[in-house]
Amino acid sequence: MAIGAIALFRFADGWDRLMIVPGTIMAMVNGTVLPLMCIVFGDMTDSFIGDSIQTQNNFTNITFPVSNTTLGEEMTGRG
């Protein structure tokens, strides 16, 4: 048996009908904001990756002194 949209709410009182209106509006807002947040967080993630790549490139330009001693020898002072 098929039930129409009007028959579905035949037992709803005034408070129920009043709550349906903001619920419907909030559902539409949620449906609009969710894709926008995906775009915002995607751009934010891309900026993190870009900064990470830039930081890695800065570290590759640094020259470290060459040492023939091991870390243990340097720590004990026998190097």
Side-chain angles (χ1 to χ4, degrees):
M1 174 166 63
I3 297 176
I6 302 298
L8 185 64
F9 297 109
R10 70 178 167 192
F11 296 111
D13 59 0
W15 180 252
D16 293 333
R17 290 185 183 125
L18 180 67
M19 289 292 105
I20 288 171
V21 172
T24 303
I25 292 170
M26 290 299 140
M28 290 188 290
V29 169
N30 184 36
T32 304
V33 170
L34 185 64
L36 295 176
M37 291 307 293
C38 289
I39 293 171
V40 168
F41 284 125
D43 290 343
M44 185 175 63
T45 303
D46 288 343
S47 71
F48 289 156
I49 292 171
D51 290 342
S52 173
I53 290 172
Q54 183 180 5
T55 303
Q56 286 177 352
N57 287 340
N58 288 342
F59 282 138
T60 57
N61 294 335
I62 297 173
T63 57
F64 295 102
V66 178
S67 175
N68 291 332
T69 59
T70 64
L71 181 61
E73 292 172 344
E74 288 181 5
M75 289 176 66
T76 57
R78 292 184 293 156

